[in-house]
Amino acid sequence: MKYLTILLLMVFLLVSCSSPVDSFEGEIWDVKSNTVLVDCSSTVNRDAEGDIPSVAYLCTVEVTEDTVIADVNKKPINSKDLKEGQIVQIILDEEKDISTKNRDVSAAEIIVLN
């Protein structure tokens, strides 16, 4: 019973360390018809301590007909104007705990920063 309590406490501490996010910034790696692959490594590693592995984590961002896409001045742009290498801010349609195993998100808004 003592070991079970310790195990449950450790699991609780690990789960409570990560926090949900409502947005993140990253570089576009690939653009498809309904999705954009965006580097979300800094978000995945946001609660990490110590040495952080140099691994790129990519989030699959779903782009729907309701997703607003704009430049930094809030001027609307077309999804076809999204290109690899652009830095974007992804505003999620709902808060999500982005982690190494949970990187599929849906965007309410995509703002091109460069």
Side-chain angles (χ1 to χ4, degrees):
M1 185 66 165
K2 181 178 177 181
Y3 294 108
L4 179 61
T5 303
I6 292 172
L7 179 63
L8 289 174
L9 180 60
M10 289 174 40
V11 168
F12 174 75
L13 289 174
L14 286 174
V15 170
S16 66
C17 287
S18 63
S19 53
V21 297
D22 58 7
S23 68
F24 66 91
E25 292 181 12
E27 179 182 347
I28 294 176
W29 281 44
D30 193 20
V31 180
K32 302 216 186 274
S33 60
N34 296 335
T35 60
V36 180
L37 285 178
V38 178
D39 181 355
C40 58
S41 301
S42 61
T43 304
V44 169
N45 293 318
R46 69 193 174 284
D47 296 323
E49 295 180 11
D51 292 335
I52 298 173
S54 56
V55 174
Y57 293 104
L58 301 179
C59 283
T60 301
V61 180
E62 180 184 22
V63 180
T64 68
E65 61 186 33
D66 296 327
T67 303
V68 175
I69 303 172
D71 66 14
V72 73
N73 297 317
K74 300 290 183 182
K75 178 183 171 193
I77 60 174
N78 193 305
S79 63
K80 294 177 182 168
D81 295 327
L82 295 175
K83 306 285 184 228
E84 292 177 22
Q86 289 176 315
I87 305 299
V88 292
Q89 179 182 20
I90 305 295
I91 300 172
L92 305 177
D93 61 359
E94 64 182 42
E95 279 192 349
K96 189 150 186 174
D97 182 17
I98 297 174
S99 66
T100 56
K101 296 179 180 166
N102 190 15
R103 298 190 313 273
D104 292 338
V105 299
S106 183
E109 189 173 348
I110 298 174
I111 301 170
V112 178
L113 301 176
N114 68 343

